[in-house]
Amino acid sequence: MKAALALLPAAIPPGPVSVVGDFNDWQPGVHILQPRKDGKRAVTVELPAESTQSCRYLAAGDYWFNDESADDRDGANSRLQT
């Protein structure tokens, strides 16, 4: 199942932003948000059906942040359910 993650303004936070989580073994740089025509950044990630995935966003300067629209939270992590 494909899921579009993050619709962030093009420059906030500045620099590259990766979504990291269970689905990519928490490896930065695997899923980098790309600019869209509407001026925002997004990435599409393949997620297993009927699963729960923890994730966070990592921006330049080791700045970690969550997806405020996520289904749930697991400590500091956002949780997505498919």
Side-chain angles (χ1 to χ4, degrees):
M1 168 180 203
K2 289 188 179 183
L5 300 175
L7 292 175
L8 299 176
I12 302 172
V17 176
S18 295
V19 61
V20 294
D22 297 334
F23 47 84
N24 63 12
D25 293 324
W26 294 89
Q27 295 297 310
V30 175
H31 295 99
I32 299 172
L33 280 68
Q34 300 297 320
R36 297 178 1 154
K37 291 179 184 179
D38 65 2
K40 296 183 179 182
R41 294 181 284 183
V43 65
T44 301
V45 176
E46 188 79 29
L47 300 175
E50 299 181 21
S51 69
T52 300
Q53 304 286 317
S54 293
C55 65
R56 293 192 83 191
Y57 296 103
L58 177 60
D62 203 32
Y63 173 67
W64 291 87
F65 62 103
N66 290 317
D67 183 347
E68 298 303 322
S69 67
D71 300 324
D72 196 4
R73 279 280 195 0
D74 176 23
N77 303 325
S78 299
R79 292 181 69 153
L80 304 171
Q81 298 174 359
T82 59

